[in-house]
Every structure is written in C-alpha cells, then in structure tokens.
C-alpha cells in the first residue's frame, strides 16, 4: 500500500496531539462530516494526516506500525465515562485466518499498536462541533493480551470446526467477532462448511473500551483484579482459573460459607458477598477489572428440588417510545446488551432439608440460534407497540397482548415495575406498567443442566 509521511510512532503521536481542541468543522476539507458512520475517522485520516483511506490489511501508518482509531465516549449524569460503542478493527477472512497463529493474524498485524483519539459525543451537537480531547499510543497490557489471545483462539476454533455461522460476540471476553455489513445478507464463505457465515470483524467490546478510556486515556479509574499474575493465563483460560479457585467451596451450604468467612448478614446480595470472599477480593466481583472489561454479569440461580428454578431472567426496563423507534436489530438496546454479554451462573441446589448448597458455576452466553429467537420476540413487541398495545381488565387485573412465555421457548415480555403504579407512556399517550424482556425460566433451566 501507499505509505505516509509519518514513519515513526513519535511523529504519528505528535501530529495527533496537535489536533486537540480544534472543532472538526475547521479541519474537514472534503465534506466528510456530512456522510454517515465513520465520518469523523475519515476526516482525521484525510484532512489532518493527509492520506487516503487505505486497505483493510495494513495499519494506517505502515512504516510506524500504528493503526489509527477514533473512539467516542459518553459522560453520564454522575460524570462517569463510558465508551459509546465497540471499537471495530478489521474484517475476518475465514478462508485465510484459520491457518494462522495469533501473532501472525490479521488482527495483530493491524492493531498491535493503536493511536487512540477520543472525543465526547454530545447528542444535541453537530459533528462539526466535536473536538478530539486525547490522543495516546496504546499497546495492550500483558494481562489483557493473554485474554485477547485466548479470545482469538476461541473464534478460530469455531472456524476450524466449520462453525463460523455460529460465532457470537458473547463467546469471548475482550476481543469479539461482531457482525459487519450493510445488512443481514452480508455473508462470507467459510473453509470447513458449505453454510454461509455472517460477515464479521474483529472488535474490542464497548465494555473493554470503557475501561481503556478510564484507565489508560483519562487515568481516572483503577479496579481490583481477580488474577494478579497474568502468566497464569498462559496456562489456562480465565474461566477455568475462576472455576478452579471456587472448586474447594462446592458442596458447602450458604450457612457453612457464612461461618467460614465470618459473615452474619442475610442481605439480598449475600451470595455476591460470599462469591467475592471465595475469590479473595475485597469489592464486588461485578466491579473487578476482568468482569468490567469482559461484560461478565454474575447471576445467582437457586435450583429447587426437582430441578426447577424460581425466576425467569430479566433485562433492563425498556422505554416504550424509544423501543418503538428501533429499526435495526443489531443496533437495538436488547441486542447490544445481550449479544456481547457473558453470564456467570452461580448455581445453588436445594438439598433434602431445604438448605441451598453451592453446587458449581457456569459461564454462559446465548447461542446465536437462540439470539435469533429473541430477535423474533423483539420484532413482535415493536409491532404491537407501534400498532397500539391492547389493554383489557379482567378480575381487576390488566392484561395485554405483548409476547407471552407460552409463545416462545426462549423469551417473553412482562412487567418489571415496583407495582401497578410504576408506569411509562406508550406512543399513543396512554400509560402502561413498566415492562422488560425476559429469558424464560424453562429456557434457563435447560442452559444450566450439566
């Protein structure tokens, strides 16, 4: 490919830092800001660094070995910084990539060193008003790199088994294979199966990018790590290390665990407290470095005698009006939460005398075929809300026609408010009890079976 005039990492970084604080409308010479997604990155490439958008296979600055990535972030009501989106790297060529090692992979060749340029995305401001506020050269720390290499191997293992069509973002921790294409019909050939596979790109999860922004770009956050020696990750997977740490506690009741760690509380988050003690951390497991970066959600599951569990699994309450305006499944709130999320099921079994015994843990993410069923429930929910939810009162109870548990083996919609007075407006102005998507209780029972 054509080279650039920036041949060293120092030259690249120096030029990048000169853009800080300048509104992008003063830089855009090619009217890129008026185009769609990726416009800001294109403005910086063409109008600031002065090179044309290059091929997928090489870093943007080939002589310097640096890939340019522009990453937007959002600031929450309490001042917290979070990545607006995942960081997409390069398209995966299944036909070539499977025969490589991680260190010879297209991802590593392109993204081993990145120039990360960040800006705050403000919903009510035009792109031309945005300003780059930080520019740093980023190389993966060893503790992250060990997990990223495991992630790459997980993705390639599916390709080598002829299962590229079954790849899901939730399969991995930090490095994911996200869908990439104009629409759902964007597919590619895979080497060990005749089934077309969705076109996918290597990407760093938005949860990972949130931590990178906080820890390495703004330097505002330090989180507790579960695995303090990254070299352990060269011998075993993160999941296997966690399970191995917890094994010696399997078979103990909640009361035995409380006595072991000197805990007298029966608080609602008791199992979370016990889990932290078992893993030797002082804070909450959900707030540890690895769980935050990987978007791992711990869920305690109580299995009653006979194998039934009490509850379906709920997701955050949705806004009826906002949901009714969603058009693209892979950009929906439900998909962006569920697809990349890995759950850690902490399973307690009820014994003969009614005590709950810590049985095991299972790391789980929703299989791609089941995610498609969730999509159908999502589509039907949107249609009903757009057409007008049918509400009817029977025996003092308000019923609706949103998707029921009996209509899908995987997911349904039902209330998730404090009580019947906890409501949100429908698009037609009527008020309705807050609702959310749920994974069916019977579906979760099947997923946790050994």
């Amino acid at each position: 490919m054509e080279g650039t005039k920036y041949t060293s990492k120092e030259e690249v970084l120096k030029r990048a830092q000169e853009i800080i604080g300048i509104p992008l409308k003063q830089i855009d010479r090619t009217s890129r800001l008026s185009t769609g997604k990726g416009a800001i990155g294109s403005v910086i490439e063409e109008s600031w660094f002065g090179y044309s958008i290059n091929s997928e296979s090489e870093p943007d600055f080939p002589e310097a070995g640096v890939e340019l990535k522009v990453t937007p972030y959002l600031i929450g009501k309490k001042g917290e910084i979070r990545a607006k989106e995942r960081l997409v790297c390069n398209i995966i060529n299944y036909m070539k990539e499977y025969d490589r090692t991680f260190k010879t992979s297209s991802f590593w060749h392109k993204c081993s060193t990145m120039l990360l340029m960040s800006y705050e995305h403000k919903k009510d401001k035009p792109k031309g008003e945005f300003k780059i506020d930080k520019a740093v050269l980023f190389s993966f720390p060893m503790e992250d790199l060990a997990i990223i290499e495991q992630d790459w191997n997980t993705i390639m293992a599916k390709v080598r088994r002829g299962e590229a069509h079954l790849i899901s973002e939730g399969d991995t921790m930090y490095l994911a294979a996200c869908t990439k294409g104009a629409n759902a019909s964007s597919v590619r050939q895979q080497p060990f199966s005749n089934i077309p596979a969705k076109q996918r790109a290597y990407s760093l999860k938005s949860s990972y990018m949130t931590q990178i922004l906080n820890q390495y770009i703004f330097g505002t956050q330090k989180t507790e790590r579960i695995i303090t020696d990254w070299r352990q990750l060269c011998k075993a997977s993160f999941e296997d290390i966690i399970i191995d740490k917890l094994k010696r506690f399997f078979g103990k009741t909640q009361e035995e665990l409380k006595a072991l760690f000197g805990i007298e509380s029966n608080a609602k988050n008791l199992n979370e407290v016990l889990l932290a003690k078992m893993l030797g951390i002082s804070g909450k497991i959900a707030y540890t470095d690895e769980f935050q970066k990987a978007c791992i959600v711990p869920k305690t599951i109580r299995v009653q005698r006979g194998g039934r569990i009490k509850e379906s699994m709920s997701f955050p309450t949705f806004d009826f009006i906002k949901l009714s305006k969603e058009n693209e499944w892979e950009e929906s709130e439900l998909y962006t939460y569920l697809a990349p999320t890995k759950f850690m099921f902490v399973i307690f079994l009820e014994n003969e005398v009614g005590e709950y015994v810590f049985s095991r843990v299972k790391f789980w993410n929703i299989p791609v075929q089941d995610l498609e069923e969730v999509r159908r429930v999502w589509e039907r929910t949107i249609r009903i809300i757009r057409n007008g939810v049918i509400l009817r009162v029977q025996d003092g109870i308000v019923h609706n026609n949103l998707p029921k548990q009996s209509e899908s083996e995987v997911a349904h919609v039902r209330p998730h408010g404090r009580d019947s007075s906890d409501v949100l407006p429908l698009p037609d102005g009527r008020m309705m009890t807050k609702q959310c998507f749920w994974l069916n209780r019977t579906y979760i029972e099947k997923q946790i079976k050994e």
Side-chain angles (χ1 to χ4, degrees):
M1 68 169 270
E2 180 186 345
T4 73
K5 64 181 180 179
Y6 305 99
T7 58
S8 71
K9 290 179 172 61
E10 293 74 22
E11 287 176 314
V12 170
L13 181 60
K14 182 176 182 295
R15 178 59 175 164
Q17 290 176 335
E18 290 169 356
I19 200 176
I20 291 173
I22 303 174
L24 291 174
K25 64 184 177 184
Q26 295 180 21
I27 294 161
D28 185 14
R29 298 174 186 165
T30 57
S31 300
R32 279 282 181 183
L33 288 175
S34 61
T35 61
K37 215 169 182 179
I40 292 176
S42 299
V43 167
I44 293 170
E45 289 177 330
E46 294 178 333
S47 297
W48 188 252
F49 282 103
Y51 67 87
S52 55
I53 299 167
N54 58 52
S55 70
E56 282 277 335
S57 59
E58 292 296 323
D60 293 315
F61 304 97
E63 297 90 348
V66 175
E67 172 71 3
L68 168 64
K69 290 295 178 188
V70 180
T71 183
Y73 64 89
L74 304 169
I75 297 181
K77 291 179 181 178
K78 296 180 181 178
E80 69 278 12
I81 292 170
R82 61 181 175 87
K84 179 178 178 287
E85 58 201 19
R86 63 171 78 91
L87 187 73
V88 179
C89 301
N90 59 296
I91 297 287
I92 303 171
N93 185 333
Y94 305 123
M95 302 302 290
K96 292 181 179 179
E97 197 76 350
Y98 80 92
D99 205 25
R100 294 171 174 162
T101 64
F102 175 70
K103 286 297 174 70
T104 61
S105 68
S106 62
F107 166 78
W108 186 248
H109 178 67
K110 191 171 177 68
C111 295
S112 57
T113 301
M114 293 184 288
L115 171 67
L116 295 180
M117 302 178 72
S118 62
Y119 68 92
E120 182 186 354
H121 177 89
K122 296 181 179 179
K123 187 178 179 181
D124 300 324
K125 276 197 171 185
K127 291 176 186 175
E129 298 293 328
F130 294 163
K131 301 171 186 176
I132 297 298
D133 50 31
K134 295 280 184 180
V136 299
L137 285 173
F138 177 77
S139 297
F140 298 100
M142 291 306 298
E143 61 268 23
D144 290 0
L145 188 58
I147 288 176
I148 286 169
E149 184 166 357
Q150 289 179 3
D151 289 340
W152 184 87
N153 284 323
T154 297
I155 295 166
M156 283 306 110
K158 277 199 168 179
V159 176
R160 291 167 186 148
R161 292 197 301 267
E163 297 175 354
H165 56 291
L166 298 180
I167 291 172
S168 170
E169 290 180 67
D171 292 339
T172 50
M173 289 186 58
Y174 302 168
L175 179 70
C178 69
T179 54
K180 180 72 172 173
N183 51 53
S185 63
S186 297
V187 295
R188 295 181 79 99
Q189 185 182 0
Q190 58 171 313
F192 302 107
S193 172
N194 292 324
I195 301 172
K198 280 187 179 180
Q199 180 167 274
R200 291 182 178 270
Y202 292 118
S203 65
L204 296 169
K205 291 186 179 184
S206 60
S207 53
Y208 181 78
M209 291 308 301
T210 292
Q211 294 303 102
I212 296 308
L213 282 161
N214 281 287
Q215 292 179 15
Y216 298 100
I217 296 182
F218 290 97
T220 56
Q221 184 174 310
K222 271 290 178 187
T223 49
E224 190 174 10
R225 291 189 59 80
I226 300 174
I227 299 173
T228 53
D229 183 355
W230 64 267
R231 286 169 294 192
Q232 289 180 268
L233 293 161
C234 299
K235 300 173 185 175
S237 71
F238 174 81
E239 295 177 11
D240 286 343
I241 291 170
I242 296 301
I243 292 169
D244 193 57
K245 280 175 175 279
L246 296 172
K247 267 181 182 175
R248 64 193 179 100
F249 302 105
F250 292 171
K252 294 187 182 296
T253 65
Q254 282 180 321
E255 291 303 315
E256 287 172 334
L257 290 169
K258 283 169 63 179
L260 183 63
F261 295 113
I263 296 171
E264 296 181 1
S265 169
N266 281 310
K268 194 174 181 180
N269 67 339
L270 172 62
N271 288 326
E272 188 177 4
V273 173
L274 290 172
L275 195 61
K277 294 289 186 185
M278 287 185 268
L279 290 171
I281 59 172
S282 57
K284 292 183 177 181
I285 185 171
Y287 293 163
T288 58
D289 187 71
E290 296 95 340
F291 272 59
Q292 289 275 292
K293 285 177 177 173
C295 192
I296 300 175
V297 177
K299 288 271 188 184
T300 297
I301 297 180
R302 290 181 162 211
V303 183
Q304 298 170 312
R305 279 171 287 179
R308 287 174 61 90
I309 64 174
K310 288 184 177 180
E311 289 286 341
S312 299
M313 185 190 296
S314 66
F315 296 106
T317 301
F318 55 70
D319 181 307
F320 298 111
I321 296 173
K322 195 173 178 182
L323 179 62
S324 70
K325 294 176 180 177
E326 290 185 342
N327 293 304
E328 297 296 329
W329 165 236
E330 289 174 1
E331 293 179 8
S332 69
E333 284 191 4
L334 181 59
Y335 179 90
T336 53
Y337 176 83
L338 184 55
T341 298
K342 191 180 285 288
F343 295 91
M344 186 177 83
F345 293 148
V346 184
I347 302 166
F348 283 81
L349 301 181
E350 186 183 20
N351 64 16
E352 303 78 25
V353 294
E355 297 174 309
Y356 279 93
V357 178
F358 181 33
S359 170
R360 58 194 169 91
V361 294
K362 178 176 182 175
F363 287 90
W364 178 86
N365 61 282
I366 189 165
V368 68
Q369 60 270 34
D370 295 342
L371 192 58
E372 280 299 302
E373 175 59 21
V374 176
R375 174 183 184 158
R376 285 188 279 275
V377 174
W378 170 83
E379 288 173 338
R380 183 158 181 262
T381 302
I382 290 176
R383 281 198 305 272
I384 291 170
I385 293 172
R386 286 174 180 169
N387 294 334
V389 180
I390 297 172
L391 300 175
R392 60 184 179 83
V393 181
Q394 185 177 345
D395 298 327
I397 299 172
V398 179
H399 298 268
N400 63 65
N401 62 327
L402 292 170
K404 305 287 186 293
Q405 191 165 180
S406 58
E407 298 170 20
S408 168
E409 291 186 356
V410 179
H412 66 283
V413 175
R414 65 181 164 93
H416 198 260
R418 293 184 303 273
D419 52 45
S420 60
S421 65
D422 195 7
V423 296
L424 281 173
L426 290 163
D428 58 16
R430 293 177 298 161
M431 303 301 288
M432 184 176 178
T433 307
K434 289 178 180 177
Q435 307 279 322
C436 79
F437 293 100
W438 298 70
L439 292 181
N440 298 352
R441 175 185 56 78
T442 50
Y443 174 73
I444 297 299
E445 284 173 0
K446 290 177 183 175
Q447 304 310 306
I448 64 171
K449 282 184 178 177
E450 290 186 85

